[in-house]
Amino acid sequence: MEERREFPAFPYEPYSIQLDFMNALYQSLNKGGVAMLESPTGTGKTLSIICSALQWLVDKKQHQKTQMDSSSNLGGKQEDQLGVDDEPDWMRDFVINKDTKSPDKKTKEKKQMGFNKKIDMKGKRDNVRDLITNGGGKDEDTDTEKVKNLLTKHEVEGMDEVEFLVEEYESEDENGGRSKRKGGGVPVNSSSEEEKDEDNMEDEEDEARPKIYFCSRTHSQLSQFVKELRKTKFADEVNVVCLGSRKNFCINKDVLKLGSSTQINEKCLELQKSRKKEISKISKTKNIRACGRAGRSKTSSGCPMLRNQKRGKEFRSEVSQQGPLDIEDLVQIGNDLKTCPYYGSRSMVHIADLVVLPYQSLLSKSSRESLGLSLKDSVVVIDEAHNLADSLVSMYNAKITLSQLELVHSHLESYFIGFRNLLGPGNRRYIQIMMVLTRAFLQVLRDENCQSTFDPLCNAERSKSGFESSTAINEFLFALNIDNINLYKLLLYIEGSNIMHKVCGYGHKLALSVEVSGLKNDDQSSHDESALSGFQALVNMLLSLTNKDGDGRIIISRPRTICSMQQGGYLKYVMLTGEKIFSEILNQAHAVILAGGTLQPIEETKERLFPWLPPDKLHFFSCGHIIPSANILPIVVPQGPSGHSFDFSYSARSSSVMIKELGLFVSNLVNVVPEGMVLFFSSFDYEGQVYDAWKESGIIGRIMKKKRIFREPRRSTDVETVLKEYKETIDALSHRSSKRDPESRNGAILLAIVGGKVSEGINFSDGMGRCIVMVGLPYPSPADIELMERIKHIEGFDTSSGKNTKFQAERSWYNGDAQAGLDILKSCKHRGKQYYENLCMKAVNQSIGRAIRHINDYAAILLVDKRYTYDPSERSSSQSTNKLPQWIKGRLVSGTKNYGELQKLLHQFFKFHKGKEDNQ
């Protein structure tokens, strides 16, 4: 057993469970491999991670410094030449030998030389996305003859045809898949290469410095991490950088007003490419005037926030002096200095000891490569890891809508008509191939000319929401008769030829002309989709089709017809397997830490992400809660005030009796529970149904006499406003004397949604959450076709053989309706069934864990449904309550004899804590 350590950086006197957690983390980092560390919310998990992980990093560097000093004293002075004067000794002395290049760095060099292998096609997802440099208007299907007529006179209207002509391209068989230009074969203007120029302004060997990468799901959670870090001495001892999305960092008002993340990314990259294009023109031309007006145009001037390199250096200097900063702080500095905080923060990664970043930036291989992140010998800490497997695979999904396909096909068609006689054979062939693909995809979604291979699609009865089906990759390709197309070559062509921007730029120019605009529908100009977004969606889908047949499924969602107009419709690739993706992280990092409030059951995570990991490389630790047992009152509520049993299963929850009984129950609760109450419903739709029924029956009025009602908004941007009003109401009303005015309000009640923003990251400490009510068991809908595909994959996946065995005999086509989903669930006996139940209870645990945030906090937790009941003497693993966190499960009241006993328990609980508060 390893010696227990003390952690002097912890800013308070640590509790025993906090010391246990920090020691477990420190020992896991010493051993390497994977560790799963479970610590309930409200136990200081974040602060414990900071103090333990950074102490380990400092100790490791000090140990390496001692070794290097010893080596130097034995006869080597080469270390004296390493380091930078303005760095601490322990940092300066920890520099990897310049002559030793990591495999990662060699791979990067090969990519820079143009050696892009097929095995890296999945990693190209963001490289292709970063090719986006232009915006495109939307064209509907264009009348061929009218377009031809327009093209004959477009030069008169100021369109430069040469600007949009793609350069000659030879296929791989002819010229290695290169454009006929100097340096052909290197990805053209890939922003991952462009951004490398911006980021790597220091020596590359600094990137080999081991780091700690801390990632979480939301920017608010990352900001909270930085705030906790500032409480420790490490705030002055380590270099910290916080990364985020362009949308969160951008200070260019013209770009930020675009709204969506996709459009902001596109515009940012467009400005970067136009800036480099301008620099290239000037450097190649002796006479600057030869650049003409295009060189001085507004669009080619680049982003004004990146024009001044001096300000960029000032940004880095300012950030270095101020210590740990969150995204809001970095944005403020960027605004003050009028320089880009997004690229400014990225430029500091190479000198950082601690990098704080969102999930996507670290878990996606293409994002890591774009950011220049090296995980070699580093530590990766993934917080809120309870749904890590699903989050990871969802990053590799791809989707293209019917409207995007129509837009891209229209642009390709117009471009081909306009330049057919000017295109070389290579360009002409690949453009025709893209048109064949988009036409085939459109045929499937429009249900046109169904072939015999699509009988399951053609003959199936449509549901109200349209028809959804799924199929394997290979069957999809064969059914569309596109299995003979080499998608690898096509993707290399798209990346190397810059065809996306040529086609979309040309389409945009056409759309600006009066006659072509007249061919559009009236609502065309208001459509916010860009051609580039559609083209990128097509590329992502093609990339997905290069995956192995068993790694994922194709979802085909037909559009529904409303008022004779087709709406919706899409193709989607759903990634199902995550172990190969996660192995890329494990193989590089020294250690990977999965942290969270509830990580059980660990077997599911292990099977889905690292089934091949030896047992001695997986460390698990779980601690209890810091609160006394008297501070929590979890109760199963099987029946309501009228004696009716609570059953909120899908088939029973909509009955008027059930909704009324719940309303009477809540009407009674508001008289007993002080301050704030939170009710969690399974969905927005069901919450709306209950609220409307309560309003009509007068129950809302009864509740409002004691507590003001708030409802979680569907728009996540409105959540903060609602929560602020909710808290202010509780603070104002709960301090009034109920003795002087017994009829006065005593707080507020919030109607929230399981899986919504409120349930996943909002803390209801103290008066904001004195009682948490979980209405029913929030099982996901069996009509969710993507979920059913995951369940089929998990249930039938044989980890020893790596093959899906159970469902092989089934037809690969699957009609996504609720009954089909229920049939699948009934056929599941083991892993698939457990996964479905775990999804439900993980959602429950996340929701009810929002209440207790510190040692003096207290709350009642009510599980309202008869299905939560159990016999304490027959506690089996299949019971839902057995999946509750131990700190709740150990204190759970399995059920009361009658409703009156429940009221009595609640009254005594809150009276006891009210007395404690009065005596303090």
Side-chain angles (χ1 to χ4, degrees):
M1 183 175 181
E2 294 191 24
E3 179 183 356
R4 286 180 62 84
R5 297 183 52 85
E6 299 296 326
F7 297 90
F10 203 86
Y12 315 110
E13 182 68 27
Y15 300 111
S16 60
I17 63 170
Q18 292 171 333
L19 282 172
D20 292 342
F21 183 92
M22 288 187 283
N23 272 284
L25 174 54
Y26 194 97
Q27 293 167 14
S28 297
L29 295 179
N30 272 339
K31 295 176 182 177
V34 183
M36 301 178 69
L37 306 182
E38 189 178 64
S39 181
T41 55
T43 56
K45 169 171 59 71
T46 300
L47 201 55
S48 299
I49 290 174
I50 291 169
C51 294
S52 179
L54 290 181
Q55 186 64 57
W56 176 85
L57 183 66
V58 170
D59 290 348
K60 179 181 180 181
K61 292 189 175 185
Q62 184 60 44
H63 177 69
Q64 291 178 336
K65 176 179 183 263
T66 303
Q67 288 183 325
M68 293 173 71
D69 289 343
S70 300
S71 176
S72 177
N73 293 334
L74 290 174
K77 296 185 178 181
Q78 57 189 16
E79 287 82 4
D80 297 339
Q81 301 175 359
L82 297 176
V84 182
D85 293 338
D86 60 353
E87 293 181 344
D89 290 344
W90 57 267
M91 183 189 301
R92 182 173 67 244
D93 290 332
F94 188 74
V95 179
I96 304 299
N97 193 312
K98 294 182 180 181
D99 295 329
T100 304
K101 294 185 179 180
S102 68
D104 289 350
K105 200 164 293 180
K106 292 179 180 179
T107 302
K108 286 183 179 180
E109 291 176 354
K110 287 185 177 182
K111 288 184 177 180
Q112 291 170 5
M113 296 171 64
F115 298 110
N116 297 300
K117 296 185 178 181
K118 292 182 180 180
I119 195 171
D120 292 318
M121 288 305 300
K122 190 185 299 181
K124 289 177 176 288
R125 193 180 300 269
D126 277 6
N127 287 344
V128 179
R129 179 178 290 110
D130 289 342
L131 285 169
I132 298 174
T133 61
N134 220 331
K138 186 180 190 307
D139 280 339
E140 294 292 345
D141 291 336
T142 309
D143 184 90
T144 304
E145 293 302 320
K146 290 185 178 181
V147 171
K148 286 183 177 180
N149 293 334
L150 284 168
L151 291 173
T152 60
K153 60 178 181 178
H154 69 266
E155 290 186 10
V156 179
E157 298 175 11
M159 292 178 64
D160 182 6
E161 184 174 293
V162 178
E163 178 185 355
F164 302 108
L165 180 61
V166 65
E167 297 189 38
E168 290 188 49
Y169 188 90
E170 294 180 354
S171 70
E172 184 178 320
D173 296 333
E174 298 164 341
N175 192 33
R178 305 176 181 183
S179 296
K180 284 187 175 179
R181 66 183 76 187
K182 186 176 180 180
V186 181
V188 181
N189 292 322
S190 169
S191 80
S192 62
E193 301 296 326
E194 290 181 29
E195 292 166 2
K196 186 179 291 186
D197 296 338
E198 299 286 348
D199 296 339
N200 296 349
M201 286 177 281
E202 306 291 340
D203 293 335
E204 282 193 3
E205 62 269 13
D206 285 332
E207 291 186 4
R209 172 185 296 161
K211 310 178 192 298
I212 293 178
Y213 292 93
F214 178 90
C215 66
S216 195
R217 298 181 62 191
T218 67
H219 286 96
S220 60
Q221 289 167 343
L222 298 178
S223 294
Q224 182 62 34
F225 177 87
V226 173
K227 290 176 183 176
E228 294 293 301
L229 175 60
R230 291 172 184 159
K231 298 177 183 178
T232 73
K233 69 173 186 177
F234 293 122
D236 300 320
E237 295 184 4
V238 298
N239 291 326
V240 184
V241 64
C242 190
L243 303 180
S245 65
R246 284 181 172 89
K247 183 175 183 179
N248 286 90
F249 268 117
C250 183
I251 60 173
N252 185 330
K253 294 181 179 179
D254 291 334
V255 176
L256 197 56
K257 69 182 181 182
L258 295 174
S260 74
S261 298
T262 300
Q263 290 178 314
I264 289 173
N265 289 341
E266 289 176 2
K267 189 61 178 178
C268 176
L269 292 167
E270 173 188 342
L271 291 173
Q272 295 315 301
K273 183 170 183 181
S274 62
R275 173 173 172 262
K276 290 191 173 290
K277 186 177 180 180
E278 179 185 14
I279 294 173
S280 177
K281 282 184 177 181
I282 294 175
S283 64
K284 292 180 180 180
T285 308
K286 294 182 180 180
N287 185 354
I288 297 181
R289 293 180 184 175
C291 294
R293 287 180 296 176
R296 298 190 300 270
S297 67
K298 183 178 179 180
T299 56
S300 61
S301 60
C303 180
M305 301 303 166
L306 280 172
R307 291 177 190 165
N308 194 319
Q309 292 188 5
K310 182 179 179 182
R311 289 179 183 172
K313 292 180 180 178
E314 291 175 358
F315 176 89
R316 293 190 289 275
S317 176
E318 184 71 17
V319 171
S320 298
Q321 293 175 16
Q322 291 197 25
L325 301 173
D326 60 19
I327 291 177
E328 289 74 16
D329 300 324
L330 294 169
V331 168
Q332 185 59 52
I333 294 175
N335 273 315
D336 293 342
L337 296 176
K338 298 293 186 276
T339 188
C340 178
Y342 173 76
Y343 283 105
S345 61
R346 286 176 52 160
S347 68
M348 301 184 69
V349 169
H350 67 285
I351 62 169
D353 302 295
L354 172 63
V355 181
V356 183
L357 70 172
Y359 267 18
Q360 177 74 33
S361 299
L362 184 129
L363 297 179
S364 168
K365 180 181 178 181
S366 53
S367 294
R368 292 197 305 273
E369 291 178 347
S370 178
L371 290 167
L373 304 181
S374 172
L375 303 184
K376 181 174 175 57
D377 297 329
S378 293
V379 170
V380 174
V381 180
I382 302 174
D383 198 15
E384 300 296 330
H386 53 280
N387 283 328
L388 176 60
D390 287 339
S391 298
L392 180 65
V393 296
S394 67
M395 293 178 188
Y396 290 82
N397 291 348
K399 178 181 178 180
I400 185 166
T401 66
L402 174 62
S403 58
Q404 286 176 323
L405 278 168
E406 290 173 339
L407 180 60
V408 173
H409 185 74
S410 173
H411 275 51
L412 286 168
E413 198 173 56
S414 299
Y415 186 87
F416 188 73
I417 292 171
F419 293 95
R420 180 187 306 178
N421 296 330
L422 300 176
L423 295 171
N427 285 315
R428 190 161 55 244
R429 179 169 61 254
Y430 281 115
I431 293 173
Q432 287 176 316
I433 289 173
M434 284 188 282
M435 291 169 63
V436 168
L437 290 170
T438 54
R439 190 179 298 115
F441 293 164
L442 285 169
Q443 175 186 315
V444 173
L445 293 180
R446 289 171 174 169
D447 200 9
E448 296 174 352
N449 302 321
C450 284
Q451 305 297 321
S452 58
T453 50
F454 278 99
D455 283 343
L457 283 175
C458 301
N459 301 327
E461 181 180 352
R462 293 176 182 269
S463 64
K464 292 182 180 179
S465 60
F467 179 78
E468 289 185 328
S469 61
S470 72
T471 182
I473 293 177
N474 288 348
E475 184 160 357
F476 179 76
L477 296 175
F478 281 110
L480 291 179
N481 198 27
I482 55 175
D483 56 292
N484 58 336
I485 294 177
N486 189 323
L487 295 178
Y488 290 107
K489 286 187 178 181
L490 177 60
L491 289 164
L492 286 173
Y493 168 77
I494 293 173
E495 181 177 4
S497 65
N498 204 27
I499 187 65
M500 280 203 302
H501 311 294
K502 298 292 186 180
V503 170
C504 296
Y506 180 69
H508 180 61
K509 289 287 186 178
L510 281 179
L512 293 178
S513 68
V514 176
E515 287 113 321
V516 174
S517 295
L519 296 176
K520 294 182 179 181
N521 294 329
D522 293 336
D523 64 343
Q524 184 70 35
S525 59
S526 63
H527 204 296
D528 62 355
E529 276 191 335
S530 73
L532 277 170
S533 297
F535 220 127
Q536 183 59 56
L538 175 64
V539 170
N540 289 341
M541 180 58 67
L542 297 179
L543 277 168
S544 298
L545 294 177
T546 64
N547 287 317
K548 289 185 177 180
D549 190 51
D551 286 352
R553 300 279 286 183
I554 303 294
I555 306 295
I556 302 169
S557 178
R558 292 276 179 69
R560 53 181 174 177
T561 302
I562 300 178
C563 299
S564 73
M565 294 290 293
Q566 282 196 334
Q567 296 183 9
Y570 61 84
L571 294 176
K572 184 172 184 178
Y573 174 79
V574 179
M575 177 66 79
L576 298 177
T577 178
E579 62 267 21
K580 298 173 186 175
I581 303 170
F582 201 64
S583 66
E584 296 173 350
I585 297 174
L586 296 183
N587 291 340
Q588 296 179 55
H590 164 71
V592 176
I593 308 298
L594 309 185
T598 307
L599 297 180
Q600 299 276 13
I602 63 171
E603 292 78 13
E604 177 195 311
T605 302
K606 182 179 184 299
E607 287 180 358
R608 295 188 64 193
L609 293 181
F610 34 85
W612 39 265
L613 192 71
D616 61 336
K617 283 294 184 179
L618 176 61
H619 321 298
F620 178 74
F621 171 84
S622 180
C623 64
H625 212 294
I626 58 176
I627 62 167
S629 58
N631 284 27
I632 181 175
L633 180 61
I635 307 177
V636 173
V637 184
Q639 61 186 15
S642 303
H644 293 290
S645 295
F646 282 128
D647 179 7
F648 293 97
S649 59
Y650 186 80
S651 59
R653 68 183 186 182
S654 297
S655 71
S656 58
V657 173
M658 199 61 53
I659 293 176
K660 181 181 178 181
E661 191 74 6
L662 180 63
L664 294 175
F665 172 61
V666 175
S667 299
N668 289 338
L669 279 181
V670 297
N671 293 305
V672 181
V673 177
E675 304 178 279
M677 277 178 59
V678 184
L679 263 72
F680 281 104
F681 292 89
S682 58
S683 68
F684 278 106
D685 289 341
Y686 186 58
E687 183 271 342
Q689 181 183 354
V690 170
Y691 184 87
D692 292 342
W694 285 357
K695 188 174 182 179
E696 184 177 348
S697 64
I699 291 176
I700 289 293
R702 292 174 57 181
I703 296 173
M704 289 282 283
K705 289 180 180 180
K706 296 299 294 184
K707 293 186 186 292
R708 183 179 171 188
I709 297 178
F710 293 87
R711 304 172 69 187
E712 179 176 351
R714 287 179 180 266
R715 290 175 53 183
S716 59
T717 52
D718 297 334
V719 170
E720 186 174 345
T721 301
V722 172
L723 289 175
K724 182 181 179 182
E725 293 183 13
Y726 171 70
K727 185 178 187 304
E728 290 173 348
T729 300
I730 292 170
D731 292 340
L733 295 178
S734 61
H735 290 91
R736 295 179 182 177
S737 175
S738 59
K739 293 181 180 180
R740 286 180 297 181
D741 186 7
E743 299 301 321
S744 66
R745 289 180 177 175
N746 62 359
I749 183 170
L750 175 63
L751 309 183
I753 311 303
V754 174
K757 189 161 186 177
V758 167
S759 70
E760 285 289 336
I762 307 301
N763 299 327
F764 293 100
S765 60
D766 300 318
M768 287 186 71
R770 288 302 181 208
C771 181
I772 306 296
V773 180
M774 175 58 61
V775 180
L777 284 156
Y779 284 105
S781 170
D784 185 339
I785 189 169
E786 294 181 35
L787 172 63
M788 290 303 112
E789 288 299 336
R790 286 200 300 272
I791 289 174
K792 287 169 59 180
H793 178 79
I794 293 169
E795 172 70 17
F797 197 80
D798 183 350
T799 54
S800 61
S801 65
K803 296 180 180 179
N804 194 301
T805 56
K806 180 167 184 176
F807 292 96
Q808 278 184 344
E810 295 185 1
R811 290 183 63 91
S812 62
W813 291 97
Y814 161 59
N815 179 5
D817 58 40
Q819 186 56 52
L822 289 172
D823 291 341
I824 290 174
L825 291 171
K826 289 177 182 178
S827 67
C828 292
K829 304 299 181 184
H830 185 47
R831 285 190 287 260
K833 180 182 178 181
Q834 287 294 319
Y835 170 70
Y836 188 64
E837 293 176 351
N838 292 340
L839 281 177
C840 171
M841 291 310 298
K842 283 180 181 180
V844 170
N845 294 337
Q846 281 297 302
S847 300
I848 64 179
R850 301 295 98 198
I852 304 296
R853 307 307 302 175
H854 56 84
I855 194 170
N856 295 317
D857 209 352
Y858 63 93
I861 297 173
L862 306 181
L863 304 176
V864 184
D865 198 301
K866 67 178 183 180
R867 292 174 293 172
Y868 283 110
T869 57
Y870 67 95
D871 183 350
S873 63
E874 299 179 3
R875 202 71 172 269
S876 69
S877 59
S878 62
Q879 292 170 339
S880 57
T881 51
N882 200 45
K883 294 181 170 63
L884 291 169
Q886 184 59 45
W887 62 278
I888 294 178
K889 182 168 56 177
R891 306 166 193 181
L892 181 65
V893 178
S894 60
T896 55
K897 296 179 181 178
N898 52 59
Y899 183 77
E901 185 179 345
L902 169 66
Q903 287 285 98
K904 181 180 178 180
L905 286 173
L906 290 171
H907 178 76
Q908 292 175 342
F909 177 77
F910 289 114
K911 182 180 179 181
F912 171 76
H913 287 286
K914 182 67 167 60
K916 285 182 61 177
E917 290 177 340
D918 292 341
N919 294 329
Q920 288 179 353

Coordinates of all heavy atoms in Angstrom, one line a residue, residues 128 130 285 328 338 495-496 684 715 812 890:
V128 N -11.1 19.0 -43.6 CA -12.0 19.4 -44.7 C -12.9 20.5 -44.3 O -13.1 21.4 -45.1 CB -12.9 18.2 -45.2 CG1 -13.8 18.5 -46.3 CG2 -12.0 17.0 -45.6
D130 N -12.2 22.8 -42.3 CA -11.4 24.0 -42.2 C -11.1 24.6 -43.6 O -10.5 25.7 -43.7 CB -10.1 23.8 -41.5 CG -10.3 23.6 -40.0 OD1 -11.4 24.0 -39.5 OD2 -9.4 23.1 -39.3
T285 N 4.2 39.2 -56.1 CA 4.2 40.3 -57.1 C 5.1 41.4 -56.7 O 5.0 42.0 -55.6 CB 2.7 40.8 -57.1 OG1 1.8 39.7 -57.3 CG2 2.6 41.8 -58.3
E328 N -14.5 34.3 -20.2 CA -14.9 35.6 -20.1 C -13.8 36.6 -19.8 O -13.8 37.7 -20.4 CB -15.9 35.7 -18.9 CG -17.3 35.1 -19.2 CD -17.2 33.6 -19.1 OE1 -16.3 33.0 -18.6 OE2 -18.1 32.9 -19.6
K338 N -8.1 44.8 -28.5 CA -8.5 44.8 -29.9 C -7.7 43.7 -30.7 O -7.3 43.9 -31.8 CB -8.3 46.1 -30.6 CG -9.2 47.2 -30.0 CD -10.6 47.0 -30.2 CE -11.5 48.1 -29.7 NZ -11.8 48.1 -28.3
E495 N -10.7 17.8 -51.0 CA -9.8 18.5 -50.2 C -8.7 19.2 -51.0 O -8.3 20.4 -50.7 CB -9.1 17.6 -49.1 CG -8.1 18.3 -48.2 CD -7.6 17.3 -47.2 OE1 -7.9 16.1 -47.2 OE2 -6.8 17.8 -46.3
G496 N -8.2 18.5 -52.0 CA -7.0 19.0 -52.7 C -7.4 20.0 -53.8 O -6.6 20.9 -54.1
F684 N -40.4 17.8 -22.1 CA -41.1 19.1 -22.2 C -42.5 18.8 -22.6 O -43.4 19.5 -22.1 CB -40.4 19.9 -23.3 CG -39.2 20.7 -22.8 CD1 -37.9 20.3 -23.2 CD2 -39.3 21.8 -22.0 CE1 -36.8 21.0 -22.8 CE2 -38.2 22.5 -21.5 CZ -37.0 22.1 -21.9
R715 N -35.7 27.1 -24.8 CA -34.5 27.7 -25.3 C -33.5 27.8 -24.2 O -33.7 28.5 -23.2 CB -34.8 29.1 -25.9 CG -35.6 29.1 -27.2 CD -36.0 30.5 -27.6 NE -34.8 31.4 -27.6 CZ -34.9 32.7 -27.9 NH1 -36.1 33.3 -28.1 NH2 -33.8 33.5 -27.9
S812 N -31.5 -6.1 -42.1 CA -30.8 -4.9 -41.7 C -31.6 -3.6 -41.7 O -31.3 -2.6 -41.1 CB -29.6 -4.7 -42.6 OG -30.0 -4.5 -44.0
G890 N -28.3 4.3 0.8 CA -28.2 3.9 2.2 C -29.2 4.5 3.1 O -29.3 4.0 4.3

